[in-house]
Amino acid sequence: MSEIPAKATESEDSSGGPRTEAADGLFSGDAPSAGAMWQSSPPGSMYDYIKVASFSIGPDGLVDQWSLRAEQLFGIPAARAVGMDPIAAFVDPDRREQGQRKMAEILDGREWTGVVPFRLPDTVVRDERDREGLAEVYVMPTRTEEGEKAAVCIVVDVRTLRRIETDLAASQAIFGQSPFGFLLIDPDLRVRRANQRFASIFGGSVDDHRGKGVHDYLPRGEAERVAATLRRVLETGDSITDMHVTGFVPGSEERRHWSVNLYRVHSGSGRSIGVAWLGTDITARRAAAREAAAARRNLALLNEAGARIGNSLDLETTARELLDVVVPGFCDLATVDLYQGLLAGDETPPGLADGSAEVRRVAFASAVSEAPFDGTGERVKLGAVHHYAFNSPCAAALRTARPQTVPGEEGGLVQSTLAVPMVAHDTVVGLAQFARTKGSEPFGDRDRDLAVELAARAAVCIDNARLYRREHERALILQRSLLPPGDPEASGLDIACRYLPGNAATGRPSEVGGDWFDVIELPGHRTALVVGDVMGRGLRAAVAMGELRTAVRTLAQLDLEPAEVLSQLDEIARGLGAPGGVRQATRAARRPREADLSEVYLATCVYAVYDSVTRRCTFANAGHLPPVLVEPGEPALMLDVPPGMPLGVGGEPFEEVEVELPEGALLALYTDGLVESRDHPLDEGLQAFVGALTGPSPMASGHPPSATAPRADTHPNLEDVCDHVLNTLDTHHGEDDIALLMARVQGLPAESVGDWTLPREPRSVGRAREHARAQLLGWDLEPLVDTTELLVSELVTNALRYGEGEIRLRLLLDRTLVCEVWDAGLVQPRRRRARDTDEGGRGLQLVGLLSAAWGSRRTPRGKTVWFELPLPGTDTVLTDPAEALLSLF
């Protein structure tokens, strides 16, 4: 408030009290109206900053009036100041003479304005730096009521003026030279002042923006939001930092973005006078941030794709993994089509030249719709086989191996689609389509490159899965071709078997293994049962399994003892991994440096030979799991067969164990895939297997009998037993193959066996024919009598001529008729071609012509020569004996 007294005219208001009428035109610039009165300036006016003080000097040169502002400026109260000589009090001694002359001139009636240095009294000085002052003084002559000359002094502190000038200059520099758009917005949300930077952006001069509001610069919705924010800043005084505002500048349709800081502005007295607006253009920064965010998103998608795509070797699963990555992170809709020819196993799909070959929709994903789509707008169901028209963008993508952009249909859901060929090793395997719906950000060049990279990664995984599936199928074909075809049959045994590849057991793709089983019929109605497992996976293990299985069948036909068969297999297994065979492998094993150059093939195997006449079974084991035996009315148990070393280790002999099996006993041979897995230890699996064979007992009656085993009508069907075991052990299945061979003992009845011992004398030939005739007539096999007599005569004659010791003749009737002639000689018969002039040497030729099969084998006490004849009513037709005899000459 200024110190100049205000004159006022008092009048009464309606309440009877005095009131002061303000001179409305004084501060508005208009001429004052009649009766207008002075009033004090409002708080926060310039006078509050300048702090004008006044005092008066009497005719004697002493202070006779001292204002309150003078007290504040000089620090001297009025009671002390009145009557004080101002020259003596405030002017330095060396300047007092000059001051006295000025005072005399003033009292003489002269006006004077100047800057006067002054010195504050010691009583008011707090800091020596504040002792010296500089005052701008305006002296106006006046007269007292008595007519004497006096003076009125108006004083302003020059330091305050200089500080105001500095502040104004700094404020003008900051406001005018700021590189940011600067506005001062009054409480009515109108622009009071704008800087040049703001005017250069929105056009016009600085004065052109005064009085405008936010609606003049921003779209309606954005303007309403900003106006509400301005009101909140005015009301609360809370500052706003980095508020993002979006709009347009005149003459441009490009959307611009600004970062705005808002804060409330106050006067010196604290009165709110508006809001300061400080804005900077962040359009480029926003674009760079979007680019950086897009780059980070793309890198994250590529990283996720590397982690999630290709975890399965299944074509459809790999395609679904691609879509799981891209929807909704990259696009809203996506599909994958693969060439039908590749899915069917063809090496090269037809129609690649024009891109119109048949494709199958193998995967679809959507974040907005459940309906599959393709680039033509047609609906294609998942799993459907279709093709693209030659002139369609999708066909062009397949034909050129380059991505195509397909615009969305008018009024449709899709904004645009990227049709990206899936290329692996320079081969197009299919087409991936990525679509974004309307309202989403359009595809850019960066998105296009990302889509190509994602499709390429998935294509490589799909091609690998295709190649794996092809090799896997070939290995399975090879593996299954080496297994016994159909249901094996054997004399005196009811047999059932199961073979499950690893993928069938777990439901996941797996490499083929080296598991195998075999049922080999031996002479004398004996049967060899074999179950083995080559260690390792893949085609290598399957090939090794095939070689070992072939070797087993070859060795079995030599009628070797089980332990001898495994010894020979061990030698063969040792030679599988060496180019030079067993000898090369042995030499490499002796030289450790060269041992790593040869592959090691290890396998486990159990080999058993069952004799249906004696019901005895001889076992030999090479590191395999023990057989399980279930006797009628007894719990299942594992046979104590010495395991021995696996095949391929070498150097260790194998032991044999002979077990007599009761009628109806159940024998089970198996591989470790049935009882072992990652989640269950071997011992637990073995106990579960034994429990499955024991309990709802497979030996119990009440199940339908086997059609191939009429004598086992009191026992359940072995096929049902196999199913029961597999279902019970389902939780134990691992990734390994499963081979299960089960055999129920059905010994040859005594009435089906004819056995005679003959002395070494010529009459034994005739007796042998008589025994054979009588036995065949008793079996009602009269059609075989003549042939059997002739062949028995030949074998007994050879035994007398070339053998030793007594002779034993045995006839066995089962699915065929087998005749065996034993003697103690060790010399094996050898078939030779007799010359036309020879009188003998045609006996074995005759045996070979008239029998279905014949051979000889060693026994612990000599040898056995045998032949086999089919029973009447079978499809096998035997040669007429007379014609056979004539053919020899």
Side-chain angles (χ1 to χ4, degrees):
M1 300 282 293
S2 83
E3 292 296 324
I4 300 177
K7 295 182 181 181
T9 304
E10 292 186 358
S11 62
E12 294 185 358
D13 60 11
S14 59
S15 60
R19 64 182 179 88
T20 302
E21 295 179 2
D24 297 333
L26 178 64
F27 297 102
S28 62
D30 299 333
S33 59
M37 302 185 328
W38 297 87
Q39 72 169 14
S40 62
S41 59
S45 68
M46 184 61 70
Y47 294 105
D48 290 328
Y49 292 99
I50 298 177
K51 297 182 179 179
V52 178
S54 66
F55 62 91
S56 61
I57 300 175
D60 55 0
L62 301 179
V63 175
D64 61 0
Q65 287 186 357
W66 192 257
S67 68
L68 294 177
R69 183 61 61 84
E71 291 184 1
Q72 297 174 4
L73 178 63
F74 296 103
I76 300 176
R80 180 182 171 189
V82 174
M84 183 176 60
D85 182 357
I87 302 300
F90 299 108
V91 178
D92 288 337
D94 56 347
R95 298 177 180 175
R96 287 177 181 173
E97 183 178 355
Q98 182 182 3
Q100 292 294 344
R101 289 198 301 269
K102 289 292 184 183
M103 180 61 70
E105 293 177 358
I106 292 170
L107 293 177
D108 194 31
R110 296 178 59 183
E111 291 187 2
W112 179 82
T113 301
V115 177
V116 179
F118 66 92
R119 179 181 179 85
L120 295 175
D122 295 338
T123 57
V124 299
V125 174
R126 298 178 182 178
D127 192 337
E128 286 297 325
R129 293 174 296 179
D130 296 333
R131 178 178 296 277
E132 296 293 335
L134 194 64
E136 183 173 297
V137 182
Y138 174 46
V139 180
M140 297 174 291
T142 186
R143 289 182 182 274
T144 63
E145 293 180 356
E146 291 79 9
E148 295 179 306
K149 294 181 179 180
V152 175
C153 300
I154 304 299
V155 183
V156 178
D157 190 345
V158 174
R159 293 174 302 175
T160 302
L161 291 177
R162 298 293 182 267
R163 186 166 58 249
I164 293 175
E165 290 176 355
T166 302
D167 291 345
L168 288 174
S171 176
Q172 181 63 32
I174 293 174
F175 195 84
Q177 301 174 19
S178 172
F180 309 109
F182 215 145
L183 296 178
L184 180 61
I185 301 176
D186 63 19
D188 295 329
L189 304 187
R190 295 290 176 181
V191 175
R192 177 66 62 87
R193 187 175 181 186
N195 70 344
Q196 185 59 43
R197 176 62 177 170
F198 185 87
S200 66
I201 296 175
F202 286 92
S205 65
V206 170
D207 295 334
D208 293 338
H209 295 279
R210 291 178 179 173
K212 290 185 177 181
V214 292
H215 289 81
D216 296 319
Y217 302 101
L218 301 175
R220 180 175 180 180
E222 190 76 341
E224 293 293 339
R225 181 178 71 89
V226 173
T229 304
L230 290 171
R231 294 189 188 96
R232 186 167 67 250
V233 173
L234 279 171
E235 294 171 0
T236 64
D238 297 334
S239 300
I240 300 295
T241 303
D242 195 24
M243 179 179 72
H244 288 194
V245 178
T246 303
F248 302 89
V249 297
S252 174
E253 296 182 357
E254 179 187 2
R255 184 181 297 271
R256 305 295 291 272
H257 303 274
W258 293 278
S259 173
V260 176
N261 297 325
L262 303 175
Y263 57 92
R264 191 168 66 182
V265 180
H266 303 86
S267 66
S269 62
R271 179 172 60 90
S272 173
I273 61 175
V275 176
W277 169 300
L278 183 63
T280 181
D281 193 328
I282 60 170
T283 303
R285 190 176 76 187
R286 283 282 297 269
R290 285 197 303 271
E291 287 292 320
R296 288 193 298 270
R297 181 196 65 189
N298 294 350
L299 289 175
L301 278 174
L302 289 176
N303 182 62
E304 185 180 5
R308 297 179 61 180
I309 299 176
N311 294 324
S312 170
L313 287 173
D314 179 73
L315 297 174
E316 289 79 3
T317 302
T318 303
R320 287 194 297 269
E321 289 170 348
L322 169 63
L323 301 194
D324 290 341
V325 171
V326 300
V327 177
F330 176 70
C331 60
D332 301 314
L333 296 149
T335 65
V336 173
D337 296 326
L338 298 180
Y339 275 117
Q340 177 66 10
L342 293 178
L343 295 173
D346 296 341
E347 292 295 328
T348 304
L352 285 181
D354 61 3
S356 60
E358 288 187 337
V359 293
R360 184 195 301 174
R361 179 66 47 85
V362 296
F364 167 74
S366 171
V368 295
S369 173
E370 295 299 329
F373 76 101
D374 66 10
T376 63
E378 300 175 358
R379 301 294 179 178
V380 178
K381 294 182 179 179
L382 190 63
V385 177
H386 64 105
H387 65 86
Y388 295 104
F390 175 78
N391 58 351
S392 66
C394 294
L398 291 171
R399 182 169 58 252
T400 62
R402 294 180 179 178
Q404 302 288 328
T405 300
V406 184
E409 294 183 350
E410 188 70 25
L413 175 68
V414 176
Q415 176 194 85
S416 62
T417 301
L418 283 177
V420 183
M422 305 179 70
V423 184
H425 311 299
D426 297 328
T427 301
V428 179
V429 299
L431 182 74
Q433 296 183 73
F434 310 106
R436 289 181 180 175
T437 56
K438 294 179 178 177
S440 300
E441 185 177 354
F443 287 113
D445 293 338
R446 189 186 299 272
D447 297 324
R448 188 186 184 98
D449 295 339
L450 177 62
V452 171
E453 177 65 22
L454 291 172
R457 292 194 179 193
V460 171
C461 295
I462 287 174
D463 193 54
N464 290 339
R466 178 184 65 86
L467 295 176
Y468 167 80
R469 185 175 67 177
R470 184 187 66 187
E471 296 302 321
H472 185 69
E473 290 175 352
R474 291 178 179 178
L476 282 179
I477 292 173
L478 172 63
Q479 187 180 38
R480 289 167 181 168
S481 67
L482 298 175
L483 296 175
D487 296 327
E489 295 182 357
S491 177
L493 291 176
D494 182 14
I495 295 178
C497 54
R498 290 289 187 276
Y499 177 80
L500 297 178
N503 59 336
T506 64
R508 300 189 300 269
S510 174
E511 291 185 292
V512 296
D515 295 18
W516 91 90
F517 67 91
D518 209 345
V519 178
I520 308 170
E521 291 192 79
L522 302 177
H525 289 304
R526 293 174 305 130
T527 304
L529 303 176
V530 189
V531 170
D533 184 4
V534 177
M535 298 181 186
R537 310 285 300 167
L539 192 59
R540 171 180 175 271
V543 171
M545 177 269 285
E547 295 189 44
L548 292 178
R549 178 179 179 270
T550 302
V552 169
R553 296 189 71 87
T554 302
L555 295 171
Q557 295 303 323
L558 296 178
D559 216 351
L560 301 177
E561 296 297 324
E564 182 64 20
V565 170
L566 292 185
S567 296
Q568 296 297 326
L569 277 180
D570 180 51
E571 292 291 325
I572 294 173
R574 290 171 60 197
L576 287 179
V582 177
R583 294 184 180 179
Q584 180 65 28
T586 304
R587 287 196 295 268
R590 293 173 182 174
R591 296 190 294 270
R593 292 184 179 181
E594 299 179 13
D596 295 337
L597 300 178
S598 61
E599 294 183 275
V600 178
Y601 286 80
L602 298 179
T604 62
C605 180
V606 60
Y607 184 86
V609 175
Y610 170 72
D611 190 335
S612 63
V613 179
T614 62
R615 293 202 309 274
R616 286 185 171 274
C617 190
T618 305
F619 296 91
N621 191 354
H624 203 76
L625 297 174
V628 175
L629 178 65
V630 186
E631 296 186 5
E634 299 293 336
L637 57 90
M638 289 183 286
L639 294 178
D640 187 12
V641 180
M645 299 299 292
L647 302 177
V649 175
E652 294 292 332
F654 298 96
E655 299 183 37
E656 292 182 356
V657 173
E658 188 176 69
V659 178
E660 184 173 352
L661 305 179
E663 182 74 18
L666 183 65
L667 181 66
L669 306 178
Y670 53 96
T671 57
D672 56 358
L674 180 67
V675 295
E676 186 179 24
S677 72
R678 296 178 180 178
D679 300 327
H680 302 277
L682 179 61
D683 291 342
E684 182 180 338
L686 287 173
Q687 292 300 323
F689 179 45
V690 171
L693 291 175
T694 300
S697 178
M699 306 305 298
S701 60
H703 294 266
S706 171
T708 61
R711 295 187 299 275
D713 53 358
T714 59
H715 302 300
N717 191 312
L718 271 187
E719 299 292 335
D720 296 336
V721 177
C722 289
D723 294 338
H724 169 71
V725 169
L726 294 178
N727 293 334
T728 303
L729 300 184
D730 183 67
T731 56
H732 298 282
H733 287 173
E735 296 182 358
D736 199 2
D737 295 352
I738 295 174
L740 175 62
L741 177 62
M742 305 190 75
R744 179 175 286 118
V745 174
Q746 299 172 352
L748 202 63
E751 58 269 19
S752 298
V753 179
D755 197 347
W756 304 272
T757 303
L758 304 173
R760 291 191 62 81
E761 56 185 28
R763 291 183 302 174
S764 294
V765 177
R767 292 178 181 176
R769 288 197 297 266
E770 292 175 358
H771 290 316
R773 172 180 287 272
Q775 187 65 65
L776 291 181
L777 293 177
W779 286 339
D780 197 17
L781 296 176
E782 185 176 356
L784 300 180
V785 170
D786 292 341
T787 302
T788 304
E789 280 187 311
L790 178 59
L791 299 183
V792 166
S793 176
E794 289 292 336
L795 295 185
V796 173
T797 300
N798 285 343
L800 287 172
R801 183 176 298 177
Y802 305 108
E804 298 177 7
E806 63 181 5
I807 301 170
R808 183 179 177 187
L809 172 65
R810 189 168 74 168
L811 295 178
L812 305 175
L813 176 62
D814 194 62
R815 292 181 295 114
T816 60
L817 175 66
V818 175
C819 176
E820 298 177 332
V821 177
W822 295 359
D823 69 79
L826 297 178
V827 179
Q828 295 290 325
R830 181 172 62 87
R831 183 178 177 181
R832 67 183 179 87
R833 181 171 294 277
R835 294 187 298 270
D836 293 343
T837 58
D838 291 344
E839 295 183 358
R842 297 178 177 86
L844 292 182
Q845 293 186 42
L846 186 63
V847 174
L849 287 173
L850 295 178
S851 64
W854 77 280
S856 67
R857 68 178 185 274
R858 295 182 182 276
T859 64
R861 292 179 297 277
K863 68 176 180 297
T864 299
V865 183
W866 57 271
F867 67 85
E868 183 176 340
L869 295 176
L871 299 182
T874 61
D875 296 335
T876 304
V877 179
L878 295 179
T879 305
D880 182 78
E883 295 179 358
L885 287 172
L886 292 175
S887 67
L888 296 178
F889 298 94

